[in-house]
Amino acid sequence: GGNKTEGSSGINAEYGGTHSGSFHCDEALACFMLKQLPEYKDATIVRSRDAAVLSECDIVVDVGGIYDPSSHRYDHHQRDFTGTMASLTNGKMNFNTKLSSAGLVYLHFGHRVLDQLMADSSDDHKDIVYKRLYEYFMEEIDAVDNGINATEEKPKYHVTTTLGGRVRDLNPAWNEPVQDFDGQFEKATALVGGEMVNRVEGMVKRWLPALDIVKKAFNNRHEVHSSGEIVKFAQGGCPWKEHLYQLESAAGCEGQVKYVLYSDSLGSWRVQAVGVQGEGFKSRKPLPESWRGVRDEKLSELIGIPECIFVHATGFIGGNKTEGGALEMARQALQM
């Protein structure tokens, strides 16, 4: 949640003191990230609010009222701190959520953390993951810690299973006779660290291989159709929508691709209308109205293309037994 009442984290390679206090997701994650780096991997985590104790630490996160990278002080609670990814990277990372200690450590050390977690990946892939991990993982932690809601609307139900909520639940109960804050904080660090590692591994194993496939197909699109409005994937089943939007954006041709072609598990082919980004089920150019809901021979007769299988009632997808047939369906649909 928002206000920190007590407890926070410094890291010292030589020795550590300890002090009880409640903890949150952001400093647990900040400490996990730092512990991935060679210079901090054996560090003892000191949990204190005593300025004298903290002054002995090599690096201090989430306490102390100072943000000063040159002395490795990374707090965000001071009144004059308004830093965001956008403001602290001169707009290179265009995210406008106020940073917590997790975001500050990610800003200053995140690339090096990913060097450890993605040792076998290219620099290009690390840069892509760096941005995506902030957007789909870290920004939520920054926002929640700074008391920024995801939406202005009143929620319709309780969301209780968030990472921040699970960390909060690891704090000792108010009425436990002996409250082991430091032991529980170690569990919190392991929890958020495991989550971060899983996210990175998922991107490396599933998301980036899909990017390579989509990129190749996108770059070859003019060979499929001179308009560049049809993309053909060599294999089906890979996630393509988000990659396609990003590739279009990078190429300065947002909204260009109208249809994608891919084979299904049974060897027939699909032609799918590309959706309007951020608008749910709306397509940029749905398959023609007169084709929708028609099947098999009737569809083939109607449009003069053999081996048609179907066109969905909303026009967002259709099928043909052959690659050539699916391509011809897309070609005709572009003209209509």
Side-chain angles (χ1 to χ4, degrees), residues 16-33:
T18 173
H19 171 63
S20 66
S22 59
F23 48 81
H24 298 83
C25 194
D26 70 311
E27 78 267 24
L29 186 57
C31 289
F32 173 82
M33 287 190 281

Side-chain angles (χ1 to χ4, degrees), residues 28 40 73-74 94 125 135 171 175 183 236 243 299 319 331:
Y40 298 122
R73 296 301 184 254
Y74 301 100
N94 194 22
H125 277 177
E135 184 172 2
N171 277 281
N175 53 358
H243 290 310
L299 183 57
R331 278 195 190 126

Side-chain angles (χ1 to χ4, degrees), residues 83-89 91-99 130-132 134-136 139:
T84 66
M85 274 290 175
S87 72
L88 295 173
T89 63
K92 270 209 309 250
M93 290 274 285
N94 194 22
F95 302 100
N96 296 299
T97 297
K98 183 178 167 182
L99 301 180
Y130 180 79
K131 183 166 189 266
R132 183 175 170 81
Y134 187 78
E135 184 172 2
Y136 288 96
E139 187 172 26

Side-chain angles (χ1 to χ4, degrees), residues 74-147:
Y74 301 100
D75 197 9
H76 65 112
H77 293 99
Q78 53 277 26
R79 282 180 70 145
D80 59 352
F81 180 81
T82 56
T84 66
M85 274 290 175
S87 72
L88 295 173
T89 63
N90 294 322
K92 270 209 309 250
M93 290 274 285
N94 194 22
F95 302 100
N96 296 299
T97 297
K98 183 178 167 182
L99 301 180
S100 67
S101 63
L104 282 171
V105 168
Y106 193 69
L107 170 67
H108 291 282
F109 299 94
H111 285 290
R112 290 186 53 221
V113 172
L114 291 180
D115 285 340
Q116 301 295 321
L117 300 181
M118 298 174 64
D120 301 329
S121 298
S122 67
D123 287 348
D124 196 27
H125 277 177
K126 286 174 190 167
D127 287 344
I128 291 167
V129 169
Y130 180 79
K131 183 166 189 266
R132 183 175 170 81
L133 190 66
Y134 187 78
E135 184 172 2
Y136 288 96
F137 180 68
M138 202 68 63
E139 187 172 26
E140 173 191 331
I141 292 164
D142 284 342
V144 168
D145 195 72
N146 283 304

Side-chain angles (χ1 to χ4, degrees), residues 13 27 48 82 87-89 92 94 102 123 139 143 166 179 194 197 236 259 270 283-285 312:
E27 78 267 24
S48 176
T82 56
S87 72
L88 295 173
T89 63
K92 270 209 309 250
N94 194 22
D123 287 348
E139 187 172 26
R166 280 147 56 209
Q179 296 181 316
V197 169
Y259 302 111
R270 299 291 172 96
S283 299
R284 289 172 175 176
K285 188 173 174 62
H312 189 272

Side-chain angles (χ1 to χ4, degrees), residues 4-305:
K4 300 266 187 291
T5 48
E6 53 177 327
S8 261
S9 315
I11 287 197
N12 185 306
E14 294 170 36
Y15 71 94
T18 173
H19 171 63
S20 66
S22 59
F23 48 81
H24 298 83
C25 194
D26 70 311
E27 78 267 24
L29 186 57
C31 289
F32 173 82
M33 287 190 281
L34 291 170
K35 295 275 279 184
Q36 305 315 297
L37 303 175
E39 66 267 38
Y40 298 122
K41 78 176 187 333
D42 300 320
T44 303
I45 295 182
V46 177
R47 305 191 66 245
S48 176
R49 278 206 168 279
D50 182 335
V53 172
L54 295 171
S55 71
E56 297 291 315
C57 295
D58 297 308
I59 185 165
V60 176
V61 299
D62 213 40
V63 68
I66 300 166
Y67 167 51
D68 175 24
S70 66
S71 61
H72 285 322
R73 296 301 184 254
Y74 301 100
D75 197 9
H76 65 112
H77 293 99
Q78 53 277 26
R79 282 180 70 145
D80 59 352
F81 180 81
T82 56
T84 66
M85 274 290 175
S87 72
L88 295 173
T89 63
N90 294 322
K92 270 209 309 250
M93 290 274 285
N94 194 22
F95 302 100
N96 296 299
T97 297
K98 183 178 167 182
L99 301 180
S100 67
S101 63
L104 282 171
V105 168
Y106 193 69
L107 170 67
H108 291 282
F109 299 94
H111 285 290
R112 290 186 53 221
V113 172
L114 291 180
D115 285 340
Q116 301 295 321
L117 300 181
M118 298 174 64
D120 301 329
S121 298
S122 67
D123 287 348
D124 196 27
H125 277 177
K126 286 174 190 167
D127 287 344
I128 291 167
V129 169
Y130 180 79
K131 183 166 189 266
R132 183 175 170 81
L133 190 66
Y134 187 78
E135 184 172 2
Y136 288 96
F137 180 68
M138 202 68 63
E139 187 172 26
E140 173 191 331
I141 292 164
D142 284 342
V144 168
D145 195 72
N146 283 304
I148 303 164
N149 290 326
T151 173
E152 302 294 324
E153 293 172 26
K154 187 168 183 264
K156 291 188 170 68
Y157 50 83
H158 298 286
V159 178
T160 62
T161 57
T162 62
L163 190 56
R166 280 147 56 209
V167 168
R168 191 177 57 242
D169 290 345
L170 284 172
N171 277 281
W174 66 273
N175 53 358
E176 276 176 42
V178 179
Q179 296 181 316
D180 180 16
F181 278 96
D182 294 325
Q184 289 300 103
F185 181 73
E186 282 185 27
K187 290 184 190 172
T189 303
L191 172 71
V192 295
E195 195 86 16
M196 180 178 178
V197 169
N198 283 346
R199 293 297 176 94
V200 172
E201 283 181 355
M203 290 179 203
V204 170
K205 289 178 181 164
R206 296 192 289 271
W207 194 78
L208 287 170
L211 171 61
D212 293 337
I213 291 169
V214 180
K215 198 174 196 171
K216 197 170 173 185
F218 180 76
N219 290 340
N220 291 339
R221 70 193 185 283
H222 289 99
E223 292 168 27
V224 179
H225 192 265
S226 58
S227 66
E229 295 183 17
I230 302 172
V231 164
K232 183 181 81 181
F233 297 124
Q235 61 193 93
C238 90
W240 56 267
K241 290 176 193 171
E242 190 187 347
H243 290 310
L244 180 65
Y245 295 140
Q246 288 177 350
L247 289 162
E248 282 184 330
S249 176
C253 62
E254 285 104 327
Q256 183 183 53
V257 178
K258 305 301 185 294
Y259 302 111
V260 299
L261 309 178
Y262 54 88
S263 61
D264 66 19
S265 53
L266 302 170
S268 60
W269 280 74
R270 299 291 172 96
V271 49
Q272 184 168 340
V274 177
V276 177
Q277 193 171 5
E279 292 203 30
F281 298 110
K282 189 177 172 190
S283 299
R284 289 172 175 176
K285 188 173 174 62
L287 294 168
E289 209 277 325
S290 60
W291 302 4
R292 296 177 203 170
V294 188
R295 296 191 67 88
D296 305 322
E297 290 82 21
K298 279 188 179 164
L299 183 57
S300 290
E301 281 169 33
L302 175 70
I303 62 181
I305 300 171

